[in-house]
Amino acid sequence: MAQKQRTYSAEFKREAVRLLETCGKSGVQVARDLGISDSILYTWRKQLTEQGEEAFPGKGHQTPVEEELRQLRAENERLRMERDILPQRGTLRVKKAIAIFSQPPGQR
């Protein structure tokens, strides 16, 4: 039977890392006290060190860098479609081009 994956709040993760760094106990002991694995505790510490305040954005949320990358990929795909449609001829392709170019710039 598969175990359900537990989720932890960003506050819990930050507090766990703070305990690891300040309480004087080993990481294994801190993790055991909190009921988590030591490997996840060290992963949280690494994320917090590397990402600072942007660490642990939450389920479904993205860091600003990830959000920008998502937007750029979407724009890149749109530009590819526009590029590929323009040099082609035919009624269907013309209709596609008209549909794409008739949308406001923010929605393309």
Side-chain angles (χ1 to χ4, degrees):
M1 188 171 7
Q3 288 183 328
K4 183 177 178 187
Q5 185 176 359
R6 292 184 58 186
T7 57
Y8 301 95
S9 69
E11 295 81 317
F12 179 86
K13 294 174 183 180
R14 283 187 172 84
E15 183 63 20
V17 172
R18 188 191 65 75
L19 282 172
L20 174 64
E21 295 174 347
T22 61
C23 76
K25 294 181 181 179
S26 70
V28 173
Q29 185 60 46
V30 171
R32 187 176 300 133
D33 292 347
L34 294 172
I36 60 175
S37 72
D38 59 322
S39 63
I40 194 71
L41 180 60
Y42 291 121
T43 299
W44 292 344
R45 180 174 67 178
K46 181 180 178 187
Q47 288 175 340
L48 192 58
T49 301
E50 291 175 354
Q51 299 173 6
E53 289 300 314
E54 294 178 358
F56 321 125
K59 188 174 183 177
H61 297 94
Q62 298 177 330
T63 64
V65 172
E66 291 169 332
E67 175 61 20
E68 181 181 17
L69 179 60
R70 185 195 64 75
Q71 290 175 351
L72 290 172
R73 284 181 174 159
E75 181 181 7
N76 195 18
E77 179 61 27
R78 178 185 57 81
L79 292 171
R80 261 195 210 108
M81 279 181 25
E82 290 174 3
R83 178 203 64 199
D84 292 345
I85 288 174
L86 283 177
Q88 300 171 356
R89 291 191 169 78
T91 307
L92 183 58
R93 291 183 180 103
V94 171
K95 287 181 181 180
K96 282 184 180 180
I98 291 171
I100 288 172
F101 291 112
S102 64
Q103 294 176 350
Q107 294 180 353
R108 285 193 230 172

